[in-house]
Amino acid sequence: MAYVSMGEAHRRITEYLNRFCDAVSYQDSSTLCRLLSFSSNSPPLLSLADALNVFQDASSLIRQSDKFSEYGEILAHLFRSLQSYRVGNLVEAYLAFEKFANAFVQEFRNWESAWALEALYVVCYEIRVLAEKADKELTSNGKSPEKLKAAGSLLMKVFGVLAGKGPKRVGALYVTCQLFKTYFKLGTVNLCRSVIRSIETARIFDFEEFPRRDKVTYMYYTGRLEVFNENFPAADTKLSYALQYCNPKRERNIRMILKYLIPVKLSIGIIPKDELLQKYNLHEYTKIVEALRKGDLRLLRHALQEHEDRFLRSGVYLVLEKLELQVYQRLMKKIYIIQKQSDPARAHQLKLEVIAKALRWLEMDMDLDEVECIMTILIYKNLVKGYLAHKSKVVVLSKQDPFPKLNGKPVGS
Amino acid sequence: SSINTQYKVLSLTLSLKSSERGLGFRESSSLSFSICLGSVTMAATEPKAATAEVVKVDLFEDDDEFEEFEINEDWLEKEEVKEVSQQWEDDWDDDDVSDDFSRQLRKELENSSEKK
């Protein structure tokens, strides 16, 4: 920490107080944003923090002037938070910021227009980020993390403040997205449900009115939830929206959207082109796509194994594993086409024995009963049109369209 | 990581959903059991239990947290965006069997018939 004289400290603090109060008086939201962005670690904020730690009694400065004391409570908590933040007491920083945020939201409520919405966004962001840091500090000291959960409650309160008829309501989606990030981090994604319901059903909200950046973020998270719940058509719609409207320069975000969209697309029979996988470094899907294209069950197994950890972490493993049935379909189709080329008259009869030979070649040892079982499932799921002649151990394929395409619908729907 | 065991059972496919708090983000895991004549393939067994442990401890991470857009970040829909949306193929499921895999498959099937 740099040395600061008392005089200089006094000057810096007074300067900030003036800036803050002027920003509020003149409804200067962008200045206010800069004054509250702790995580930006901007030089002015850091030097203010140093000044506060030297001066120690900023409250007296605040009390001295009517201009400042009007926002006395807000400023006192803010200063305390900044001081703690500067010296690395993140739990203390969070607690003080929480008090600041509560007081700030009270004021915000009283301001009729939505001028301070962006500053409120900053407050929401900072509270979440500070809470995460505080929880890290708690766990590193062997204590139970609870601040992020508390931040979630505060964010819900802010949501409630914005969920009204006035112009402030366009801020609700930003807060929703902060809540999503909070709940996803905590693993309590079930809590997303109530805020989603509000956004999607409350009459005061018109989704189209929200800023595009918030809509993209919203669709990304709700799309992920649909993947999680295996609602693939809905997941496709939402993630595709996010992909289409995301800032094309934000390649990391695009990559994240694709990471979840690709398994969804595969599940409805659509594959990503290789250029897409290359461009966004999604090589973990290369072999899976190849396996589906070819009908190569062995390759699918290898691909799943090779990136098992990654797929498990993102929660798409089971989605990808279920592609097995589609790969079976592709393999059966190939066997059928190959047979048709050498013996067209009997091609629509697939001997279970022949299928078993193909599977054995792909390192899948099955007896005829198991093969019959697989074929039964494929027929049941409408991936194969035909019937099983059990006695003759043959699958009799329909002469018309024996391997129906998914046409954008998931298997068995 | 899958366990294959031989049983003589009727062919069924069951989907079980289990809710377990400790799994965090993967709160509800879908366990797919394919019980077929002669083969039981269990997904989500030992390896996943081990991973559940990792997920619990790692609750501070959502690997895929969307990056914040700047407060006033806005952008125009460029051609590039549309290009990304057109990187999908839906006509890949063709009748072409000229690729290596198909040729090897054909050889394998023809060999088998010869052996008979």
Side-chain angles (χ1 to χ4, degrees):
Chain A
M1 230 183 306
Y3 166 75
V4 184
S5 71
M6 280 301 253
E8 172 63 13
H10 184 287
R11 190 197 67 76
R12 287 183 194 173
I13 297 169
T14 311
E15 186 180 9
Y16 182 94
L17 288 169
N18 275 309
R19 286 223 180 102
F20 185 97
C21 297
D22 288 343
V24 174
S25 301
Y26 297 117
Q27 302 191 347
D28 179 358
S29 189
S30 37
T31 299
L32 194 53
C33 287
R34 277 195 300 275
L35 296 174
L36 302 175
S37 295
F38 284 14
S39 62
S40 69
N41 290 319
S42 68
L45 276 174
L46 293 179
S47 69
L48 171 69
D50 291 340
L52 288 168
N53 279 321
V54 161
F55 199 83
Q56 285 297 326
D57 189 20
S59 313
S60 64
L61 274 183
I62 297 173
R63 275 195 302 272
Q64 276 168 25
S65 140
D66 285 341
K67 179 181 180 185
F68 302 157
S69 56
E70 193 184 346
Y71 303 105
E73 200 196 338
I74 291 179
L75 290 162
H77 292 311
L78 187 63
F79 281 172
R80 219 168 319 123
S81 179
L82 187 56
Q83 281 179 262
S84 301
Y85 179 75
R86 183 65 170 126
V87 299
N89 292 337
L90 297 164
V91 176
E92 289 302 314
Y94 171 79
L95 288 169
F97 199 90
E98 196 184 46
K99 295 200 173 96
F100 156 75
N102 272 309
F104 181 85
V105 171
Q106 285 310 317
E107 276 303 317
F108 178 86
R109 254 193 159 129
N110 297 331
W111 296 326
E112 260 193 47
S113 82
W115 74 267
L117 210 46
E118 285 166 14
L120 185 65
Y121 294 160
V122 172
V123 172
C124 289
Y125 173 80
E126 293 293 329
I127 197 110
R128 178 175 64 87
V129 165
L130 261 174
E132 287 174 15
K133 292 187 171 131
D135 275 353
K136 281 211 175 98
E137 186 177 284
L138 286 169
T139 41
S140 69
N141 293 333
K143 300 203 192 112
S144 170
E146 35 155 55
K147 300 308 178 195
L148 189 56
K149 195 168 166 205
S153 301
L154 197 149
L155 288 169
M156 272 308 263
K157 226 192 287 182
V158 176
F159 183 87
V161 168
L162 296 175
K165 287 194 210 142
K168 293 173 187 171
R169 70 183 188 279
V170 299
L173 203 62
Y174 180 84
V175 181
T176 300
C177 293
Q178 292 302 314
L179 276 164
F180 284 163
K181 292 183 179 183
T182 303
Y183 293 146
F184 269 69
K185 199 129 196 165
L186 288 170
T188 55
V189 295
N190 55 305
L191 295 176
C192 296
R193 214 174 299 143
S194 75
V195 74
I196 290 173
R197 208 179 304 131
S198 294
I199 293 288
E200 296 188 358
T201 63
R203 261 186 249 151
I204 41 164
F205 294 132
D206 175 4
F207 194 73
E208 291 316 308
E209 280 182 339
F210 292 121
R212 186 194 313 203
R213 51 159 210 279
D214 296 334
K215 288 193 281 194
V216 168
T217 309
Y218 180 84
M219 287 298 197
Y220 167 73
Y221 280 104
T222 52
R224 276 178 70 182
L225 288 172
E226 298 285 12
V227 177
F228 189 58
N229 292 318
E230 298 189 347
N231 298 330
F232 297 135
D236 185 19
T237 304
K238 294 181 184 182
L239 292 171
S240 294
Y241 180 104
L243 182 65
Q244 186 180 354
Y245 294 109
C246 183
N247 185 348
K249 293 208 181 98
R250 295 303 209 113
E251 296 205 345
R252 274 211 284 261
N253 279 351
I254 293 184
R255 183 184 188 276
M256 278 187 244
I257 296 169
L258 286 169
K259 189 170 161 182
Y260 291 94
L261 184 54
I262 288 170
V264 171
K265 288 286 195 191
L266 292 173
S267 301
I268 60 176
I270 297 172
I271 65 177
K273 293 194 180 151
D274 215 46
E275 299 92 79
L276 193 64
L277 297 180
Q278 298 286 357
K279 181 171 181 186
Y280 293 102
N281 194 26
L282 289 158
H283 303 293
E284 62 260 39
Y285 292 122
T286 306
K287 285 195 185 144
I288 303 224
V289 172
E290 199 184 326
L292 186 55
R293 254 196 226 272
K294 289 181 182 168
D296 190 342
L297 289 159
R298 178 179 44 189
L299 185 60
L300 179 70
R301 251 202 335 279
H302 286 173
L304 286 172
Q305 242 170 322
E306 191 180 341
H307 298 288
E308 189 182 57
D309 289 337
R310 207 194 291 224
F311 294 148
L312 285 171
R313 273 186 82 86
S314 60
V316 299
Y317 184 91
L318 289 169
V319 178
L320 296 169
E321 198 185 42
K322 287 199 180 130
L323 295 174
E324 196 184 29
L325 285 180
Q326 288 158 251
V327 180
Y328 266 111
Q329 183 202 44
R330 186 80 176 129
L331 181 66
M332 297 307 132
K333 183 170 176 177
K334 289 217 165 163
I335 296 175
Y336 166 71
I337 294 171
I338 287 169
Q339 272 189 192
K340 206 161 146 188
Q341 286 177 348
S342 52
D343 188 0
R346 279 206 293 261
H348 67 285
Q349 291 182 12
L350 285 184
K351 292 204 177 111
L352 295 185
E353 222 165 52
V354 172
I355 298 172
K357 294 255 151 69
L359 292 175
R360 231 188 324 273
W361 172 60
L362 292 172
E363 292 168 19
M364 294 171 75
D365 271 323
M366 288 189 195
D367 63 32
L368 293 189
D369 287 335
E370 294 167 279
V371 176
E372 182 167 345
C373 163
I374 302 275
M375 295 314 297
T376 307
I377 294 176
L378 291 175
I379 293 170
Y380 175 67
K381 298 261 181 188
N382 206 37
L383 286 166
V384 169
K385 276 228 283 263
Y387 66 89
L388 264 167
H390 176 74
K391 279 221 178 98
S392 34
K393 303 243 178 259
V394 162
V395 176
V396 182
L397 297 172
S398 162
K399 296 257 170 80
Q400 265 195 348
D401 194 24
F403 304 102
K405 295 211 165 115
L406 292 180
N407 278 333
K409 294 210 182 88
V411 170
S413 57
Chain B
S1 62
S2 20
I3 300 171
N4 281 308
T5 336
Q6 304 285 322
Y7 293 100
K8 296 280 183 192
V9 185
L10 278 175
S11 115
L12 291 168
T13 306
L14 303 173
S15 263
L16 301 177
K17 286 197 192 283
S18 71
S19 280
E20 263 181 37
R21 275 170 166 244
L23 289 175
F25 168 56
R26 292 181 62 244
E27 200 183 7
S28 254
S29 35
S30 216
L31 304 175
S32 284
F33 286 91
S34 293
I35 305 175
C36 297
L37 280 167
S39 138
V40 174
T41 314
M42 273 173 40
T45 52
E46 312 304 300
K48 295 216 176 111
T51 314
E53 199 45 56
V54 173
V55 172
K56 223 180 194 152
V57 167
D58 250 327
L59 273 181
F60 288 123
E61 298 307 311
D62 170 22
D63 289 347
D64 299 318
E65 183 172 297
F66 217 55
E67 288 185 351
E68 291 274 326
F69 292 117
E70 299 300 314
I71 293 289
N72 278 317
E73 189 170 336
D74 207 354
W75 53 89
L76 295 169
E77 269 167 64
K78 292 187 202 161
E79 283 314 305
E80 207 185 323
V81 178
K82 302 220 168 92
E83 193 196 288
V84 167
S85 311
Q86 274 152 19
Q87 293 287 13
W88 310 98
E89 283 179 54
D90 60 357
D91 55 355
W92 55 275
D93 190 5
D94 54 24
D95 291 356
D96 181 11
V97 288
S98 61
D99 59 294
D100 277 342
F101 178 81
S102 305
R103 281 196 268 115
Q104 285 166 26
L105 175 61
R106 182 200 300 273
K107 216 162 60 171
E108 187 62 32
L109 297 178
E110 282 168 1
N111 282 347
S112 319
S113 17
E114 269 167 32
K115 275 175 188 160
K116 283 169 112 189

